[in-house]
PDB file of all heavy atoms in Angstrom:
ATOM      1  N   HIS A   6      54.300  25.241   7.924  1.00  0.00           N
ATOM      2  CA  HIS A   6      53.647  26.379   7.290  1.00  0.00           C
ATOM      3  C   HIS A   6      52.877  25.929   6.048  1.00  0.00           C
ATOM      4  O   HIS A   6      51.745  26.359   5.810  1.00  0.00           O
ATOM      5  CB  HIS A   6      54.723  27.435   6.916  1.00  0.00           C
ATOM      6  CG  HIS A   6      54.143  28.664   6.326  1.00  0.00           C
ATOM      7  ND1 HIS A   6      53.336  29.514   7.046  1.00  0.00           N
ATOM      8  CD2 HIS A   6      54.237  29.200   5.087  1.00  0.00           C
ATOM      9  CE1 HIS A   6      52.960  30.505   6.279  1.00  0.00           C
ATOM     10  NE2 HIS A   6      53.512  30.349   5.075  1.00  0.00           N
ATOM     11  N   ASN A  25      27.663  26.376  -2.094  1.00  0.00           N
ATOM     12  CA  ASN A  25      27.088  26.038  -3.408  1.00  0.00           C
ATOM     13  C   ASN A  25      25.861  25.156  -3.260  1.00  0.00           C
ATOM     14  O   ASN A  25      24.866  25.339  -3.935  1.00  0.00           O
ATOM     15  CB  ASN A  25      28.124  25.371  -4.294  1.00  0.00           C
ATOM     16  CG  ASN A  25      29.187  26.324  -4.816  1.00  0.00           C
ATOM     17  OD1 ASN A  25      28.965  27.531  -4.821  1.00  0.00           O
ATOM     18  ND2 ASN A  25      30.301  25.785  -5.239  1.00  0.00           N
ATOM     19  N   ALA A  28      23.050  27.195  -1.984  1.00  0.00           N
ATOM     20  CA  ALA A  28      22.551  28.066  -3.039  1.00  0.00           C
ATOM     21  C   ALA A  28      21.683  27.283  -4.016  1.00  0.00           C
ATOM     22  O   ALA A  28      20.634  27.744  -4.456  1.00  0.00           O
ATOM     23  CB  ALA A  28      23.714  28.737  -3.765  1.00  0.00           C
ATOM     24  N   SER A  61       3.525   4.194  -8.612  1.00  0.00           N
ATOM     25  CA  SER A  61       4.559   5.218  -8.357  1.00  0.00           C
ATOM     26  C   SER A  61       4.191   6.103  -7.187  1.00  0.00           C
ATOM     27  O   SER A  61       5.085   6.643  -6.536  1.00  0.00           O
ATOM     28  CB  SER A  61       4.799   6.053  -9.624  1.00  0.00           C
ATOM     29  OG  SER A  61       3.587   6.690  -9.988  1.00  0.00           O
ATOM     30  N   THR A  64       1.992   4.354  -0.998  1.00  0.00           N
ATOM     31  CA  THR A  64       1.882   4.855   0.372  1.00  0.00           C
ATOM     32  C   THR A  64       2.822   4.052   1.284  1.00  0.00           C
ATOM     33  O   THR A  64       3.291   2.981   0.927  1.00  0.00           O
ATOM     34  CB  THR A  64       0.441   4.690   0.888  1.00  0.00           C
ATOM     35  OG1 THR A  64       0.123   3.306   0.972  1.00  0.00           O
ATOM     36  CG2 THR A  64      -0.548   5.423   0.037  1.00  0.00           C
ATOM     37  N   HIS A  99      -1.960 -14.429  10.470  1.00  0.00           N
ATOM     38  CA  HIS A  99      -2.299 -14.924  11.810  1.00  0.00           C
ATOM     39  C   HIS A  99      -3.246 -13.965  12.510  1.00  0.00           C
ATOM     40  O   HIS A  99      -3.107 -12.749  12.438  1.00  0.00           O
ATOM     41  CB  HIS A  99      -1.034 -15.059  12.659  1.00  0.00           C
ATOM     42  CG  HIS A  99       0.042 -15.857  11.980  1.00  0.00           C
ATOM     43  ND1 HIS A  99      -0.082 -17.202  11.729  1.00  0.00           N
ATOM     44  CD2 HIS A  99       1.234 -15.484  11.465  1.00  0.00           C
ATOM     45  CE1 HIS A  99       1.004 -17.636  11.105  1.00  0.00           C
ATOM     46  NE2 HIS A  99       1.819 -16.609  10.927  1.00  0.00           N
ATOM     47  N   ASN A 124     -14.384  10.214  -7.458  1.00  0.00           N
ATOM     48  CA  ASN A 124     -14.793  10.894  -6.217  1.00  0.00           C
ATOM     49  C   ASN A 124     -16.161  10.401  -5.754  1.00  0.00           C
ATOM     50  O   ASN A 124     -17.017  11.158  -5.351  1.00  0.00           O
ATOM     51  CB  ASN A 124     -14.846  12.405  -6.440  1.00  0.00           C
ATOM     52  CG  ASN A 124     -13.486  12.987  -6.702  1.00  0.00           C
ATOM     53  OD1 ASN A 124     -12.498  12.504  -6.167  1.00  0.00           O
ATOM     54  ND2 ASN A 124     -13.419  14.004  -7.517  1.00  0.00           N
ATOM     55  N   ASP A 142     -16.456 -21.874  -2.796  1.00  0.00           N
ATOM     56  CA  ASP A 142     -17.846 -22.181  -2.482  1.00  0.00           C
ATOM     57  C   ASP A 142     -18.165 -22.037  -1.010  1.00  0.00           C
ATOM     58  O   ASP A 142     -19.173 -22.564  -0.545  1.00  0.00           O
ATOM     59  CB  ASP A 142     -18.242 -23.563  -3.002  1.00  0.00           C
ATOM     60  CG  ASP A 142     -18.216 -23.642  -4.500  1.00  0.00           C
ATOM     61  OD1 ASP A 142     -18.439 -22.610  -5.147  1.00  0.00           O
ATOM     62  OD2 ASP A 142     -17.957 -24.721  -5.071  1.00  0.00           O
ATOM     63  N   LYS A 172     -38.533 -15.007   2.112  1.00  0.00           N
ATOM     64  CA  LYS A 172     -39.583 -14.695   3.105  1.00  0.00           C
ATOM     65  C   LYS A 172     -39.049 -13.865   4.268  1.00  0.00           C
ATOM     66  O   LYS A 172     -39.167 -14.235   5.422  1.00  0.00           O
ATOM     67  CB  LYS A 172     -40.259 -15.950   3.604  1.00  0.00           C
ATOM     68  CG  LYS A 172     -40.997 -16.694   2.537  1.00  0.00           C
ATOM     69  CD  LYS A 172     -41.755 -17.861   3.139  1.00  0.00           C
ATOM     70  CE  LYS A 172     -42.484 -18.592   2.020  1.00  0.00           C
ATOM     71  NZ  LYS A 172     -43.208 -19.721   2.521  1.00  0.00           N
TER      72      LYS A 172
END
Side-chain angles (χ1 to χ4, degrees):
H6 183 65
N25 287 341
S61 60
T64 64
H99 308 293
N124 294 327
D142 294 331
K172 295 186 181 180

